[in-house]
Amino acid sequence: SDAAGQQALAWERAGEALRHLATAQRGAAAAVVAAAAAQEQRAGAAAAEGRHQVSVLLQHWEQRVAEVDAEDAALDAQIAEASAPVAQLREQRASEHAALTERVAVLRRQLADAEEAA
């Protein structure tokens, strides 16, 4: 039961780490988009060939952003998958706690009855 609690904690920590990774990747993707937009602005004064190169670069970064979004979706799925056992363990622990609490109540009643009879 203690091992189950430790496993639940480990799953929670893993989920939290995955959430942090997803957040970091989203931030990196936003920075990439901002950098690409800044490059595109600077290229406005450049020659047509320069604008074409920036366009190609922008397409590359937009593709990378799409890849990061797909990675985020996969991480979100992993987080959801990792959270399911945690919820199951919590439910099991709550059930065990309720059963133990009921057993304690029964034993207290038996002790009180025995003390009254004595």
Side-chain angles (χ1 to χ4, degrees):
S1 184
D2 192 39
Q6 288 179 352
Q7 184 179 6
L9 183 59
W11 279 111
E12 284 183 293
R13 287 184 180 153
E16 186 63 26
L18 288 172
R19 280 190 285 281
H20 285 304
L21 178 59
T23 299
Q25 285 193 329
R26 286 186 188 105
V32 163
V33 170
Q39 280 184 325
E40 189 176 33
Q41 282 182 341
R42 286 191 299 271
E49 180 58 29
R51 284 193 299 272
H52 172 71
Q53 290 176 1
V54 169
S55 174
V56 169
L57 201 61
L58 180 59
Q59 287 176 351
H60 166 77
W61 286 117
E62 285 174 337
Q63 178 181 351
R64 182 62 191 129
V65 168
E67 291 168 1
V68 169
D69 285 344
E71 292 168 6
D72 284 352
L75 286 172
D76 288 342
Q78 289 176 351
I79 289 167
E81 187 177 335
S83 297
V86 172
Q88 186 178 15
L89 284 171
R90 282 188 176 151
E91 187 177 313
Q92 179 182 348
R93 298 277 296 187
S95 175
E96 290 171 4
H97 184 270
L100 290 172
T101 301
E102 177 60 29
R103 182 67 183 140
V104 166
V106 167
L107 290 173
R108 282 186 178 152
R109 284 193 300 270
Q110 289 175 353
L111 180 60
D113 291 347
E115 286 175 351
E116 281 183 22

